[in-house]
Amino acid sequence: MSLRDDARRIAHGAIAAADPREAVRRALRVEGGALVIGASGDEERVALDGVDHILVIGAGKAAVGMARGAHDVLGDRIAGGTVTTRDGYGGEVAGMYVWEAAHPVPDTRGLAGAADALACARAAGARDLVLCLLSGGASALWPAPVRGVSLTDLRALTDALLRAGATIREVNTVRKHLSRIGGGWLARAAYPARVVTLVVSDVVGSPLDVIASGPTVPDPTTFADALGVLGAHELSAPPAALRHLQAGAAGEAAETPKPGDAAFERVSAHVVAATADALRGASAEAERLGYRAEILADDMEGEAREVARAIAREAIDRRRALVAGDAPLALLLGGETTVTVRGRGLGGRNQELALALAVELEGRGGIVAAALGTDGTDGPTTAAGAIVDGETISRGTEAGLDARDHLARNDSHPYLRATADLLVTGPTGTNVCDVVVILLEGGES
């Protein structure tokens, strides 16, 4: 097999290791009349004889797999439920209604899914258990704008934040303060029911208040913080959204529920899958293929092009150190970069990172790099990312393309399509950040 083929296999190993159905199955079990939640040493037990109904609500790209995992364990104990996922990520789940909606730009189907989730939560009583299943993409898939703010307003502001290179924490700080479901409001709607949240994390460090905009956990951020994000990126919000944020900062609109709020008295949360799981899967597959595998980081962040330069320097240095007889080396990283959009091209953060890597690796043999989103999509494209090597730039030149020009225009997708470097997986049903795979073999460049 070639380095490129191996990179593809290792990428798929990362995705398989973050399977949401299996993650939920590992996190739940019925034992001795109790539902046991969580990993050994951090277990929570819920006595089932004290539960009248188990209701399942959820959102995100992994929502269907997670719901199926819950049904595998609980079966007919589940009284009903509703989950919302991205178009193409759906499927039937026994006893539950599945909404498919648009992502990353929310639509009216997402509004309906969020309304259904809120209605289900409000219907829960004190002797009911609400099992909330959250994964990446939920913030967009559950748009529930506050009164006076339209879906169009929410779309425009989210798009502006993403194009400005705002981090997911910054984006969700703003979204939570324009939402009726994020920032702890879903927990408030479900109170006094018992709420157990299972999370497939797509955020570096797995902060529960950021993932899916933290609908069932206390929100440490404020309206003032949200306005600060807009100021830091020199953005103007749609008038209705800005008025609401300013009213909140002035104490004229209700803040998101904070630590100590009664809504969280019977709420718990457990991360069941994260970037580290995908990296362990990638490492295992690399070793199966004969590589020495090293996980360099699971907290990769920063501007995609700058991250690419740092990774390229590490790859070049590490390859120089390989000597005859050494096993090939797999360097693995996970996290989530950002892109400050200055052009009007088509691409995503992983394709931009991959093309920037290709520029740095031009003409060098023995190095292959893959960058992919574990959800199977990268930006508004059908590609998960790309696999590049030292010949990517020469292939582009032969096609009459200038890589640096494409990067300047944030137009990585057409370039990588022309060089046959796109990595297309289709919808994966999971979402645990991004993974970068660097494969090195010895020999002269």
Side-chain angles (χ1 to χ4, degrees), residues 307-388:
V307 172
R309 282 192 286 271
I311 292 173
R313 286 195 298 270
E314 177 75 8
I316 292 167
D317 289 345
R318 296 296 293 272
R319 183 168 186 265
R320 284 177 180 149
L322 290 177
V323 298
D326 283 350
L329 181 61
L331 305 177
L332 308 170
L333 303 93
E336 184 172 290
T337 62
T338 54
V339 173
T340 301
V341 179
R342 297 182 175 88
R344 303 184 67 179
L346 178 64
R349 60 180 179 264
N350 287 289
Q351 292 164 82
E352 181 139 333
L353 190 154
L355 184 53
L357 275 169
V359 169
E360 300 294 329
L361 300 175
E362 182 179 3
R364 295 181 180 276
I367 305 178
V368 164
L372 70 145
T374 52
D375 60 348
T377 55
D378 184 42
T381 77
T382 57
I387 302 175
V388 300

Coordinates of all heavy atoms in Angstrom, one line a residue, residues 307-388:
V307 N -1.2 27.0 11.6 CA -1.1 25.6 12.2 C -0.4 24.7 11.1 O 0.5 23.9 11.5 CB -2.4 25.0 12.5 CG1 -2.3 23.5 12.9 CG2 -3.0 25.8 13.7
A308 N -0.7 24.9 9.9 CA -0.1 24.1 8.8 C 1.4 24.3 8.7 O 2.2 23.4 8.6 CB -0.7 24.5 7.4
R309 N 1.9 25.6 8.9 CA 3.3 25.8 8.9 C 4.0 25.1 10.0 O 5.1 24.5 9.8 CB 3.6 27.3 8.9 CG 3.3 28.0 7.6 CD 3.9 29.5 7.6 NE 3.0 30.3 8.4 CZ 2.0 31.0 7.9 NH1 1.7 30.9 6.6 NH2 1.3 31.8 8.7
A310 N 3.4 25.1 11.2 CA 4.0 24.5 12.3 C 4.1 23.0 12.2 O 5.1 22.3 12.5 CB 3.3 24.8 13.6
I311 N 3.0 22.4 11.6 CA 3.0 21.0 11.4 C 4.0 20.6 10.3 O 4.7 19.5 10.5 CB 1.6 20.5 11.0 CG1 0.6 20.7 12.1 CG2 1.6 19.1 10.5 CD1 -0.9 20.4 11.7
A312 N 4.1 21.4 9.3 CA 5.1 21.1 8.2 C 6.5 21.1 8.8 O 7.3 20.2 8.4 CB 4.9 22.1 7.1
R313 N 6.8 22.1 9.6 CA 8.2 22.1 10.2 C 8.5 20.9 11.0 O 9.6 20.3 10.9 CB 8.4 23.4 11.0 CG 8.5 24.7 10.2 CD 9.0 25.8 11.1 NE 8.1 26.1 12.2 CZ 7.1 27.0 12.2 NH1 6.9 27.6 11.0 NH2 6.3 27.2 13.2
E314 N 7.5 20.4 11.8 CA 7.7 19.2 12.6 C 7.9 18.0 11.7 O 8.8 17.2 12.0 CB 6.5 19.1 13.5 CG 6.5 17.8 14.4 CD 7.4 17.9 15.5 OE1 8.0 19.0 15.8 OE2 7.7 16.8 16.2
A315 N 7.1 17.9 10.7 CA 7.1 16.7 9.8 C 8.5 16.7 9.1 O 9.1 15.6 9.0 CB 6.0 16.8 8.7
I316 N 9.0 17.8 8.6 CA 10.2 17.8 7.9 C 11.4 17.5 8.8 O 12.3 16.7 8.4 CB 10.5 19.2 7.2 CG1 9.4 19.4 6.1 CG2 11.9 19.4 6.7 CD1 9.3 20.9 5.6
D317 N 11.4 18.0 10.0 CA 12.4 17.7 11.0 C 12.4 16.2 11.4 O 13.5 15.6 11.5 CB 12.3 18.6 12.2 CG 12.6 20.1 12.0 OD1 13.2 20.3 10.9 OD2 12.2 20.9 12.8
R318 N 11.2 15.7 11.6 CA 11.1 14.3 12.0 C 11.5 13.4 10.9 O 12.1 12.3 11.1 CB 9.7 14.0 12.5 CG 9.2 14.8 13.7 CD 10.0 14.5 14.9 NE 9.8 13.1 15.4 CZ 8.9 12.7 16.2 NH1 8.0 13.6 16.7 NH2 8.7 11.5 16.6
R319 N 11.2 13.7 9.7 CA 11.7 12.8 8.6 C 13.2 12.8 8.4 O 13.8 11.8 8.1 CB 11.0 13.3 7.2 CG 11.4 12.3 6.1 CD 10.6 12.5 4.9 NE 10.9 11.4 3.9 CZ 11.8 11.5 3.0 NH1 12.5 12.6 2.8 NH2 12.1 10.5 2.2
R320 N 13.8 14.0 8.6 CA 15.3 14.0 8.5 C 15.9 13.1 9.5 O 17.0 12.6 9.3 CB 15.7 15.5 8.7 CG 15.5 16.4 7.5 CD 15.9 17.8 7.9 NE 15.7 18.7 6.7 CZ 15.4 20.0 6.9 NH1 15.3 20.5 8.1 NH2 15.2 20.8 5.8
A321 N 15.2 12.9 10.7 CA 15.8 12.1 11.7 C 15.6 10.6 11.5 O 16.2 9.8 12.2 CB 15.1 12.5 13.1
L322 N 14.8 10.2 10.5 CA 14.6 8.8 10.2 C 15.9 8.3 9.6 O 16.5 8.9 8.7 CB 13.4 8.6 9.3 CG 12.0 8.9 9.9 CD1 11.0 8.7 8.8 CD2 11.7 8.0 11.1
V323 N 16.3 7.1 10.0 CA 17.4 6.4 9.4 C 17.0 5.1 8.8 O 15.9 4.6 9.1 CB 18.5 6.2 10.5 CG1 19.0 7.5 11.1 CG2 18.0 5.3 11.6
A324 N 17.9 4.5 8.0 CA 17.6 3.3 7.3 C 17.2 2.2 8.3 O 17.8 2.1 9.4 CB 18.8 2.8 6.5
G325 N 16.1 1.5 8.0 CA 15.7 0.5 8.9 C 14.6 0.9 9.9 O 14.0 0.1 10.5
D326 N 14.4 2.2 10.1 CA 13.4 2.7 10.9 C 12.0 2.4 10.3 O 11.8 2.4 9.1 CB 13.5 4.2 11.1 CG 14.6 4.7 12.1 OD1 15.1 3.8 12.7 OD2 14.8 5.9 12.1
A327 N 11.1 2.1 11.2 CA 9.7 1.9 10.8 C 9.1 3.3 10.4 O 9.5 4.3 10.9 CB 8.8 1.3 11.9
P328 N 8.2 3.3 9.4 CA 7.6 4.6 9.0 C 6.9 5.1 10.2 O 6.5 4.4 11.2 CB 6.7 4.2 7.9 CG 6.4 2.8 8.0 CD 7.6 2.2 8.6
L329 N 6.7 6.5 10.2 CA 6.2 7.2 11.4 C 4.8 7.8 11.1 O 4.7 8.4 10.0 CB 7.2 8.2 11.8 CG 6.9 9.1 13.1 CD1 6.7 8.2 14.3 CD2 8.0 10.1 13.3
A330 N 3.9 7.7 12.0 CA 2.6 8.4 11.9 C 2.5 9.4 13.0 O 2.5 9.0 14.2 CB 1.4 7.4 11.9
L331 N 2.4 10.7 12.6 CA 2.2 11.8 13.6 C 0.7 12.2 13.5 O 0.1 12.4 12.5 CB 3.0 13.0 13.3 CG 4.5 12.7 13.1 CD1 5.3 13.9 12.7 CD2 5.1 12.1 14.5
L332 N 0.0 12.2 14.7 CA -1.4 12.4 14.7 C -1.7 13.6 15.6 O -1.2 13.8 16.7 CB -2.1 11.2 15.3 CG -1.7 9.9 14.6 CD1 -2.3 8.7 15.4 CD2 -2.3 9.8 13.2
L333 N -2.7 14.4 15.1 CA -3.1 15.6 15.9 C -4.6 15.7 15.8 O -5.2 15.3 14.7 CB -2.5 16.9 15.3 CG -1.0 17.0 15.3 CD1 -0.4 16.6 13.9 CD2 -0.6 18.5 15.6
G334 N -5.3 16.3 16.8 CA -6.7 16.5 16.8 C -7.0 17.9 17.3 O -6.2 18.4 18.1
G335 N -8.1 18.4 17.0 CA -8.6 19.7 17.5 C -9.4 20.4 16.5 O -10.1 19.8 15.7
E336 N -9.4 21.7 16.5 CA -10.2 22.5 15.5 C -9.5 23.8 15.2 O -9.3 24.7 16.1 CB -11.6 22.7 16.0 CG -12.5 23.4 15.0 CD -13.9 23.4 15.5 OE1 -14.6 22.3 15.6 OE2 -14.4 24.5 15.9
T337 N -9.1 24.0 14.0 CA -8.6 25.3 13.6 C -9.7 26.3 13.2 O -10.8 25.9 13.2 CB -7.6 25.1 12.4 OG1 -8.3 24.6 11.3 CG2 -6.5 24.2 12.8
T338 N -9.3 27.5 12.9 CA -10.2 28.5 12.4 C -9.7 29.1 11.1 O -8.5 29.0 10.8 CB -10.4 29.6 13.4 OG1 -9.2 30.2 13.8 CG2 -11.1 29.1 14.7
V339 N -10.5 29.7 10.4 CA -10.1 30.4 9.1 C -10.8 31.8 9.2 O -12.0 31.9 9.3 CB -10.6 29.7 7.9 CG1 -10.3 30.5 6.6 CG2 -9.9 28.3 7.8
T340 N -10.0 32.8 9.0 CA -10.5 34.2 8.8 C -10.7 34.4 7.3 O -9.7 34.4 6.5 CB -9.5 35.2 9.3 OG1 -9.2 35.0 10.7 CG2 -10.0 36.6 9.2
V341 N -12.0 34.4 6.9 CA -12.3 34.5 5.5 C -12.1 35.9 5.0 O -12.7 36.8 5.4 CB -13.7 34.0 5.3 CG1 -14.1 34.1 3.8 CG2 -13.9 32.6 5.8
R342 N -11.2 36.0 4.0 CA -10.9 37.2 3.3 C -11.3 37.2 1.9 O -11.4 38.2 1.2 CB -9.4 37.6 3.5 CG -9.0 37.8 4.9 CD -7.6 38.2 5.1 NE -7.2 38.5 6.5 CZ -6.8 37.6 7.3 NH1 -6.7 36.3 7.0 NH2 -6.5 37.9 8.6
G343 N -11.5 36.0 1.3 CA -11.9 35.9 -0.1 C -13.3 35.3 -0.2 O -14.0 35.2 0.8
R344 N -13.7 35.0 -1.5 CA -15.0 34.6 -1.7 C -15.0 33.2 -2.3 O -15.9 32.8 -3.1 CB -15.8 35.6 -2.6 CG -15.8 37.0 -2.1 CD -16.6 37.9 -2.9 NE -18.0 37.6 -3.0 CZ -18.9 38.2 -3.7 NH1 -18.6 39.3 -4.4 NH2 -20.2 37.9 -3.6
G345 N -14.0 32.4 -2.0 CA -13.8 31.1 -2.6 C -14.6 30.0 -1.8 O -15.4 30.3 -0.9
L346 N -14.4 28.8 -2.2 CA -15.1 27.6 -1.6 C -14.1 26.7 -0.9 O -13.0 26.4 -1.5 CB -15.8 26.9 -2.7 CG -16.6 25.6 -2.3 CD1 -17.7 26.0 -1.3 CD2 -17.1 24.8 -3.5
G347 N -14.4 26.4 0.3 CA -13.5 25.5 1.0 C -13.9 25.3 2.5 O -15.1 25.5 2.8
G348 N -13.0 24.8 3.3 CA -13.3 24.6 4.7 C -11.9 24.6 5.4 O -10.9 24.6 4.8
R349 N -12.0 24.6 6.8 CA -10.7 24.7 7.5 C -9.8 23.6 7.2 O -8.5 23.8 7.2 CB -11.0 24.9 9.0 CG -11.8 23.7 9.6 CD -12.0 24.0 11.1 NE -12.7 22.9 11.7 CZ -14.0 22.8 11.9 NH1 -14.8 23.8 11.5 NH2 -14.6 21.7 12.4
N350 N -10.3 22.4 7.1 CA -9.4 21.3 6.8 C -8.8 21.3 5.4 O -7.6 21.0 5.2 CB -10.1 19.9 7.0 CG -10.4 19.7 8.5 OD1 -9.4 19.4 9.2 ND2 -11.6 19.8 8.9
Q351 N -9.6 21.7 4.4 CA -9.0 21.8 3.1 C -8.0 23.0 3.0 O -7.0 22.9 2.3 CB -10.1 22.1 2.1 CG -11.0 20.8 1.9 CD -12.3 21.1 1.2 OE1 -12.4 21.2 0.0 NE2 -13.4 21.3 2.0
E352 N -8.3 24.1 3.7 CA -7.3 25.2 3.8 C -6.0 24.8 4.4 O -4.9 25.1 4.0 CB -7.9 26.4 4.5 CG -7.0 27.6 4.5 CD -7.7 28.9 4.3 OE1 -8.7 29.0 3.6 OE2 -7.2 29.9 4.7
L353 N -6.2 24.0 5.5 CA -5.0 23.5 6.2 C -4.2 22.6 5.3 O -2.9 22.7 5.2 CB -5.4 22.8 7.5 CG -4.3 22.4 8.5 CD1 -4.9 22.3 9.9 CD2 -3.6 21.1 8.2
A354 N -4.9 21.7 4.6 CA -4.2 20.7 3.7 C -3.5 21.5 2.6 O -2.3 21.1 2.2 CB -5.2 19.7 3.2
L355 N -4.1 22.4 2.0 CA -3.5 23.1 0.9 C -2.3 23.9 1.4 O -1.2 24.0 0.7 CB -4.5 24.1 0.2 CG -4.0 24.8 -1.1 CD1 -3.4 23.8 -2.1 CD2 -5.1 25.6 -1.7
A356 N -2.4 24.5 2.6 CA -1.2 25.2 3.1 C -0.1 24.3 3.4 O 1.1 24.6 3.2 CB -1.7 26.0 4.4
L357 N -0.4 23.1 3.9 CA 0.6 22.0 4.1 C 1.2 21.7 2.8 O 2.5 21.5 2.7 CB 0.0 20.8 4.7 CG -0.2 20.7 6.2 CD1 -1.1 19.6 6.6 CD2 1.2 20.6 6.9
A358 N 0.5 21.5 1.7 CA 1.0 21.2 0.4 C 2.0 22.2 -0.1 O 3.1 21.9 -0.6 CB -0.1 21.1 -0.6
V359 N 1.7 23.5 0.2 CA 2.7 24.5 -0.2 C 4.0 24.4 0.6 O 5.1 24.5 0.0 CB 2.1 25.9 0.1 CG1 3.1 27.0 0.0 CG2 0.9 26.2 -0.8
E360 N 3.9 24.1 1.9 CA 5.1 23.9 2.7 C 5.9 22.6 2.3 O 7.1 22.6 2.5 CB 4.7 23.8 4.2 CG 4.0 25.1 4.7 CD 4.9 26.3 4.7 OE1 6.1 26.1 4.9 OE2 4.4 27.4 4.6
L361 N 5.2 21.6 1.8 CA 5.8 20.3 1.5 C 6.2 20.2 0.0 O 6.7 19.1 -0.4 CB 4.9 19.2 1.9 CG 4.5 19.1 3.4 CD1 3.5 18.0 3.6 CD2 5.7 18.9 4.3
E362 N 6.1 21.2 -0.7 CA 6.3 21.1 -2.2 C 7.6 20.5 -2.5 O 8.7 20.9 -2.0 CB 6.2 22.5 -2.8 CG 6.4 22.5 -4.3 CD 6.3 23.9 -4.9 OE1 6.1 24.9 -4.1 OE2 6.3 24.0 -6.1
G363 N 7.6 19.5 -3.4 CA 8.8 18.9 -3.8 C 9.5 17.9 -2.9 O 10.5 17.2 -3.2
R364 N 8.9 17.7 -1.7 CA 9.5 16.7 -0.7 C 8.8 15.4 -0.9 O 7.6 15.3 -0.9 CB 9.3 17.3 0.7 CG 10.1 18.6 0.9 CD 9.9 19.1 2.4 NE 10.6 20.3 2.6 CZ 11.9 20.4 2.9 NH1 12.6 19.2 3.0 NH2 12.5 21.5 3.1
G365 N 9.6 14.4 -0.9 CA 9.1 13.0 -0.9 C 9.0 12.4 0.5 O 9.5 12.9 1.4
G366 N 8.3 11.3 0.6 CA 8.2 10.6 1.8 C 7.4 11.2 2.9 O 7.4 10.8 4.0
I367 N 6.5 12.2 2.5 CA 5.6 12.8 3.5 C 4.2 12.9 2.8 O 4.1 13.4 1.7 CB 6.1 14.2 3.9 CG1 7.5 14.2 4.5 CG2 5.1 14.8 5.0 CD1 8.0 15.6 4.9
V368 N 3.3 12.4 3.5 CA 1.9 12.6 3.1 C 1.1 13.1 4.3 O 1.3 12.7 5.4 CB 1.3 11.2 2.6 CG1 -0.3 11.3 2.6 CG2 1.8 10.8 1.3
A369 N 0.2 14.0 4.0 CA -0.6 14.7 5.1 C -2.1 14.6 4.8 O -2.5 14.9 3.7 CB -0.2 16.1 5.3
A370 N -2.9 14.2 5.7 CA -4.3 14.2 5.6 C -4.9 15.1 6.7 O -4.5 15.1 7.9 CB -4.9 12.8 5.7
A371 N -5.9 15.9 6.3 CA -6.6 16.7 7.3 C -8.1 16.5 7.0 O -8.6 16.7 5.9 CB -6.2 18.2 7.2
L372 N -8.9 16.2 8.1 CA -10.3 15.9 7.8 C -11.2 16.3 9.0 O -10.7 16.2 10.2 CB -10.5 14.4 7.5 CG -10.3 13.4 8.6 CD1 -11.2 12.3 8.5 CD2 -8.8 13.0 8.7
G373 N -12.4 16.6 8.7 CA -13.4 16.7 9.8 C -14.0 15.3 10.0 O -14.4 14.6 9.1
T374 N -14.1 14.9 11.2 CA -14.6 13.6 11.5 C -16.1 13.4 11.2 O -16.6 12.3 11.2 CB -14.3 13.2 13.0 OG1 -14.8 14.2 13.9 CG2 -12.9 13.0 13.2
D375 N -16.8 14.5 11.0 CA -18.2 14.4 10.6 C -18.4 14.1 9.2 O -19.5 13.9 8.7 CB -18.9 15.7 11.0 CG -18.4 17.0 10.3 OD1 -17.3 16.9 9.7 OD2 -19.0 18.0 10.4
G376 N -17.3 14.2 8.4 CA -17.4 13.9 7.0 C -17.7 15.1 6.1 O -17.8 15.0 4.9
T377 N -17.8 16.3 6.7 CA -18.0 17.5 5.9 C -17.0 18.6 6.4 O -16.7 18.7 7.6 CB -19.4 18.1 6.0 OG1 -19.7 18.3 7.4 CG2 -20.4 17.1 5.4
D378 N -16.6 19.4 5.5 CA -15.6 20.5 5.8 C -16.1 21.7 5.1 O -16.1 21.9 3.8 CB -14.2 20.1 5.2 CG -13.2 21.1 5.6 OD1 -13.2 21.6 6.8 OD2 -12.3 21.5 4.8
G379 N -16.6 22.7 5.9 CA -17.2 23.9 5.3 C -18.4 23.5 4.4 O -19.0 22.4 4.6
P380 N -18.8 24.4 3.5 CA -20.0 24.1 2.7 C -19.7 23.3 1.5 O -20.0 23.6 0.4 CB -20.5 25.5 2.3 CG -19.2 26.3 2.2 CD -18.3 25.8 3.3
T381 N -19.0 22.1 1.7 CA -18.6 21.3 0.6 C -19.0 19.8 1.0 O -19.3 19.5 2.1 CB -17.1 21.3 0.4 OG1 -16.4 20.6 1.4 CG2 -16.5 22.7 0.4
T382 N -18.8 18.9 0.0 CA -19.1 17.5 0.2 C -17.8 16.7 0.6 O -17.9 15.5 0.8 CB -19.7 16.9 -1.0 OG1 -18.8 17.1 -2.1 CG2 -21.0 17.5 -1.4
A383 N -16.7 17.4 0.8 CA -15.5 16.8 1.2 C -15.3 16.8 2.7 O -15.7 17.8 3.3 CB -14.3 17.4 0.5
A384 N -14.7 15.8 3.2 CA -14.3 15.8 4.7 C -13.0 16.6 4.9 O -12.7 17.1 6.0 CB -14.1 14.4 5.2
G385 N -12.2 16.7 3.8 CA -10.9 17.3 3.9 C -10.1 17.0 2.7 O -10.6 16.9 1.6
A386 N -8.8 16.7 2.9 CA -7.9 16.4 1.8 C -6.7 15.6 2.2 O -6.3 15.6 3.4 CB -7.5 17.6 1.1
I387 N -6.1 14.9 1.3 CA -4.8 14.2 1.5 C -3.8 14.8 0.5 O -4.1 14.7 -0.7 CB -4.9 12.7 1.3 CG1 -6.0 12.1 2.2 CG2 -3.6 12.0 1.5 CD1 -6.3 10.6 2.0
V388 N -2.7 15.4 1.0 CA -1.8 16.0 0.1 C -0.4 15.4 0.3 O -0.1 14.8 1.2 CB -1.7 17.6 0.3 CG1 -3.1 18.2 0.1 CG2 -1.3 17.9 1.8

